[in-house]
Amino acid sequence: MADQEKGRLGRWISHLHYLIGLSHNPVSYLGILITTASGLLIVTLLVLEILNYISNPYVGILNYLVLPVFFVLGLILIPLGIIRTRLVRQRMTAAGKPISELVYPRWDFNDLHVRRTATVVILATIVNVVILSVATFKGVHYMESPEFCGTVCHTVMKPEYTAYTMSPHARVTCTGCHIGPGASWFVKSKLSGVRQVFAVTFNTYSRPIPTPVHDLRPARGTCEQCHWPQKFQDASVRIVNRFKDDEKNTRLTTVLILKVGGTLGQDGRGTGIHWWHMDPANRVRYIADEKRQTIYWVEHTKSDGTVTEYTLADAPQPLPDPRKSEKRLMDCIDCHNRPTHIYQLPEEAVDLAILNREVDPSLPYVKKKAVEILKASYSSETEVQDRILQSLRDYYQKEFPEVYRNKAQVIDAAGQALYRVYSRNVFPRMNVTWGTYPNNLGHQDFPGCWRCHDESHKSKDGRTITQDCTACHDLVAQDEENPKLPSDLLKR
């Protein structure tokens, strides 16, 4: 038995000697050089990143996507060189040409030099495995980061990334909403990413980037990982503040009690917005246009199996046949279609800036003038900041010279705030301007709820989808200057 083991070890060592001899060729040397250089660069950049010496997104691309490719390429070149050398020697032998004899070192582990050489080879292999493993893990992790999604392709993703950083979900990763858990959607997203890379490379991407309403994973696999139906509450208070276009920029307050709703008790009965639209006891399906802004047909199925179909009476084009068209099951993003990439309209943005004291409400007519300035056309992005600031200065210098003299710094601060508002919502290079992306939550600025609740969707027996305001909310105060409400409710 001992002799057999020694024989096997001897044959293994003989084969290893043979491979080492064949590795002495230019291709394998090049592979060793590429692998060593890229490995050292990966480790160096990784250490610099850990120590916070670098934080550029392009360094991440280099370290986790580009260098690992060269690292693996070098590892592939080493055996390719060996195979090539072996084939060349075989052809020369077959042709009767003389070839140099391979002189193999003797692998005697009693020899200190052999032991050291073997140790170096083993350690190098371990280091290579560790480097490749870390680079692969970090590469996958980096490709899922918001920085990679939003900052690598500056022009393409700048609008969506800017809106994302200002949103309530700014601490949620892009993949948390666009992919969710599970391998199947991860693979789908990477395949889609390949198409997007080609679109960016060859400059064939859309301007503006269309909302991916048809490619998103159903909300039950993403949104409901955090916002599951059992967390829906019965009602919530919504306070909306806006400012008039008068000289004093009068503050108006609207207070709504939103009937958020949810399931009540064990019998499955419930009330409110979410129960009627999301609960399994009320299954809602619909047929819409490409952007889901015009709803042609709605089907409501109750828990007892009763089905009611509603059809849009005044359709702008012949209605699709419900038997042949895609029927979408309503979920979160049909109303919350922009929960993260939120764009504002000028009026709303200025109201918020005044409310946050970024724009001083003591400046006469500042609300009216600010909206006017934001809606103006600008020939280039480089001139926007200067023109916004100068327009506000010119207005007060001409119409309110005393205010201009006494509050020049306040006016400049307001101008800077307006520029920030503009730069968060308007992106000329991507053809994104005010109102490019409709928000379906509510019905104040866009049709939203009224896509269905318009009294124009009728069933065969004449019933319509209600447009009654109290179905979704109760008005406590509407555009009142000093509503009589508990003081703590109005505090900000």
Side-chain angles (χ1 to χ4, degrees), residues 12-226:
W12 182 85
I13 292 175
S14 176
H15 289 310
L16 185 60
H17 289 172
Y18 182 67
L19 290 176
I20 292 174
L22 292 175
S23 67
H24 295 289
N25 63 82
V27 176
S28 296
Y29 285 154
L30 178 62
I32 293 171
L33 178 62
I34 293 175
T35 297
T36 304
S38 57
L40 290 174
L41 281 173
I42 290 172
V43 172
T44 302
L45 292 175
L46 184 61
V47 171
L48 291 176
E49 183 183 9
I50 293 173
L51 297 176
N52 291 323
Y53 281 106
I54 52 175
S55 59
N56 192 301
Y58 290 103
V59 174
I61 295 177
L62 175 66
N63 204 29
Y64 306 132
L65 300 181
V66 177
L67 288 178
V69 172
F70 283 96
F71 187 87
V72 174
L73 175 63
L75 293 178
I76 293 174
L77 287 176
I78 296 172
L80 285 180
I82 293 175
I83 294 172
R84 177 179 175 276
T85 301
R86 184 171 181 270
L87 292 175
V88 169
R89 291 177 64 86
Q90 287 178 347
R91 285 197 296 268
M92 291 177 67
T93 301
K97 296 180 180 180
I99 57 174
S100 60
E101 183 180 357
L102 291 176
V103 179
Y104 307 121
R106 297 188 60 184
W107 284 76
D108 185 355
F109 282 91
N110 292 315
D111 188 335
L112 179 61
H113 178 71
V114 172
R115 291 202 303 272
R116 288 177 176 174
T117 302
T119 302
V120 170
V121 172
I122 293 171
L123 290 178
T125 302
I126 294 174
V127 169
N128 287 342
V129 171
V130 170
I131 290 175
L132 190 58
S133 300
V134 171
T136 301
F137 172 79
K138 294 285 286 185
V140 173
H141 182 71
Y142 177 69
M143 285 191 293
E144 294 182 350
S145 68
E147 290 74 19
F148 175 81
C149 298
T151 62
V152 171
C153 303
H154 286 294
T155 301
V156 183
M157 292 307 298
K158 184 178 179 180
E160 298 288 40
Y161 184 67
T162 302
Y164 160 80
T165 59
M166 304 299 296
S167 78
H169 291 86
R171 293 190 178 184
V172 180
T173 62
C174 303
T175 56
C177 295
H178 286 270
I179 300 177
S184 61
W185 279 90
F186 176 82
V187 173
K188 289 180 183 179
S189 71
K190 296 310 172 189
L191 293 176
S192 175
V194 172
R195 175 182 57 80
Q196 294 164 9
V197 168
F198 277 103
V200 173
T201 303
F202 297 103
N203 196 27
T204 59
Y205 55 88
S206 301
R207 299 171 177 83
I209 296 295
T211 303
V213 292
H214 298 281
D215 299 326
L216 286 177
R217 184 175 183 175
R220 288 166 180 79
T222 53
C223 306
E224 291 186 16
Q225 297 298 307
C226 298

Side-chain angles (χ1 to χ4, degrees), residues 262-271 275 279:
T263 303
L264 303 177
Q266 307 255 343
D267 59 355
R269 293 295 300 169
T271 184
W275 187 76
D279 196 281

Side-chain angles (χ1 to χ4, degrees), residues 368-386:
K368 181 179 180 180
K369 189 61 183 178
V371 171
E372 178 186 318
I373 290 173
L374 290 175
K375 288 183 176 180
S377 298
Y378 300 97
S379 58
S380 67
E381 292 186 52
T382 55
E383 69 167 356
V384 172
Q385 185 172 9
D386 291 337

Side-chain angles (χ1 to χ4, degrees), residues 485-491:
L485 297 168
S487 58
D488 57 342
L489 192 64
L490 295 176
K491 285 182 179 178

Side-chain angles (χ1 to χ4, degrees), residues 164-429:
Y164 160 80
T165 59
M166 304 299 296
S167 78
H169 291 86
R171 293 190 178 184
V172 180
T173 62
C174 303
T175 56
C177 295
H178 286 270
I179 300 177
S184 61
W185 279 90
F186 176 82
V187 173
K188 289 180 183 179
S189 71
K190 296 310 172 189
L191 293 176
S192 175
V194 172
R195 175 182 57 80
Q196 294 164 9
V197 168
F198 277 103
V200 173
T201 303
F202 297 103
N203 196 27
T204 59
Y205 55 88
S206 301
R207 299 171 177 83
I209 296 295
T211 303
V213 292
H214 298 281
D215 299 326
L216 286 177
R217 184 175 183 175
R220 288 166 180 79
T222 53
C223 306
E224 291 186 16
Q225 297 298 307
C226 298
H227 307 279
W228 56 87
Q230 289 80 359
K231 293 183 68 175
F232 296 159
Q233 53 187 337
D234 185 54
S236 65
V237 177
R238 173 82 187 278
I239 301 174
V240 181
N241 291 285
R242 70 180 189 87
F243 296 85
K244 293 176 68 175
D245 291 340
D246 59 5
E247 182 175 354
K248 295 182 179 180
N249 306 297
T250 305
R251 177 171 172 169
L252 302 177
T253 301
T254 297
V255 181
L256 302 168
I257 297 179
L258 284 177
K259 300 176 181 178
V260 179
T263 303
L264 303 177
Q266 307 255 343
D267 59 355
R269 293 295 300 169
T271 184
I273 300 168
H274 286 114
W275 187 76
W276 279 105
H277 296 84
M278 295 292 299
D279 196 281
N282 292 284
R283 191 179 72 160
V284 179
R285 297 194 302 169
Y286 68 87
I287 298 173
D289 66 346
E290 185 70 18
K291 296 183 178 180
R292 295 181 185 163
Q293 294 303 302
T294 301
I295 310 297
Y296 301 121
W297 175 88
V298 179
E299 176 193 76
H300 177 213
T301 305
K302 295 182 179 179
S303 57
D304 62 4
T306 304
V307 178
T308 306
E309 294 183 11
Y310 300 89
T311 304
L312 181 61
D314 301 320
Q317 57 184 1
L319 287 175
D321 187 347
R323 294 170 297 180
K324 301 178 181 179
S325 303
E326 175 193 2
K327 300 180 182 69
R328 173 173 168 78
L329 179 65
M330 178 173 280
D331 68 9
C332 305
I333 63 171
D334 290 302
C335 297
H336 300 269
N337 68 317
R338 303 210 71 83
T340 299
H341 305 282
I342 303 172
Y343 298 88
Q344 298 171 313
L345 292 178
E347 293 81 2
E348 176 192 4
V350 173
D351 285 337
L352 186 60
I354 296 175
L355 193 64
N356 291 334
R357 293 297 187 268
E358 295 178 78
V359 174
D360 194 332
S362 69
L363 296 174
Y365 291 106
V366 72
K367 164 69 183 295
K368 181 179 180 180
K369 189 61 183 178
V371 171
E372 178 186 318
I373 290 173
L374 290 175
K375 288 183 176 180
S377 298
Y378 300 97
S379 58
S380 67
E381 292 186 52
T382 55
E383 69 167 356
V384 172
Q385 185 172 9
D386 291 337
R387 280 197 57 188
I388 287 177
L389 185 57
Q390 193 59 47
S391 296
L392 201 61
R393 286 174 178 171
D394 292 345
Y395 172 74
Y396 284 103
Q397 192 172 16
K398 179 181 178 181
E399 302 294 336
F400 301 93
E402 186 175 349
V403 173
Y404 180 78
R405 286 193 298 271
N406 296 331
K407 295 188 175 182
Q409 292 184 344
V410 175
I411 293 171
D412 285 352
Q416 295 294 341
L418 293 182
Y419 171 70
R420 290 194 295 271
V421 167
Y422 185 93
S423 61
R424 290 196 299 259
N425 293 280
V426 179
F427 304 87
R429 292 184 182 180

